[in-house]
Amino acid sequence: PEGTVSLGSEVVTYANKLTWKGEELKICLFRLPEDDEDRSTSSRDTTGKRWFLSIVPDGCIPGSSADTDLYVAYEKPGQERKTRDGLYVLPPAEGWQVIRGFGLGPPPVCFSN
């Protein structure tokens, strides 16, 4: 099925349904709202905003503790990608990392038109 896009703020959240091992799941690509305040996210010098590709249970919002996070990417300050009209923030194209025990390699690359 075709994915949905939430434009509730300048940060775009993408959602799509998929079937995996016979179970229908919702997968979301999103940036954590609390990361809109710049802060250091780990000791690996990954200062910036975190984007996740996660399985999100029905009835839950992306970024909750109910998610199963598969991949993460860090949006470095000053490297924010926006739509052509400049209105909405897009996820990082590259630099995605597998979350050990959940995602599978190789990590994704995010393209936009």
Side-chain angles (χ1 to χ4, degrees):
E2 190 171 326
T4 59
V5 178
S6 170
L7 301 174
S9 69
E10 71 170 23
V11 180
V12 179
T13 298
Y14 304 90
N16 206 347
K17 296 275 185 181
L18 60 91
T19 302
W20 186 66
K21 294 186 177 181
E23 184 179 355
E24 189 170 295
L25 304 170
K26 180 172 76 174
I27 192 161
C28 292
L29 178 61
F30 62 95
R31 186 171 82 186
L32 283 183
E34 57 265 27
D35 279 358
D36 285 339
E37 297 176 17
D38 288 337
R39 62 185 186 76
S40 178
T41 55
S42 85
S43 59
R44 286 195 226 169
D45 191 31
T46 52
T47 302
K49 299 171 183 175
R50 293 172 292 172
W51 283 82
F52 288 89
L53 182 60
S54 304
I55 297 169
V56 180
D58 282 337
C60 295
I61 58 170
S64 72
S65 61
D67 292 355
T68 300
D69 300 325
L70 305 173
Y71 305 95
V72 64
Y74 296 91
E75 178 185 290
K76 303 285 186 185
Q79 295 182 354
E80 187 175 82
R81 294 187 329 138
K82 291 198 171 208
T83 54
R84 288 183 189 177
D85 59 12
L87 296 177
Y88 300 106
V89 177
L90 298 171
E94 298 179 335
W96 288 86
Q97 301 169 19
V98 175
I99 295 181
R100 190 173 295 169
F102 297 102
L104 300 173
V109 175
C110 296
F111 295 98
S112 62
N113 292 332

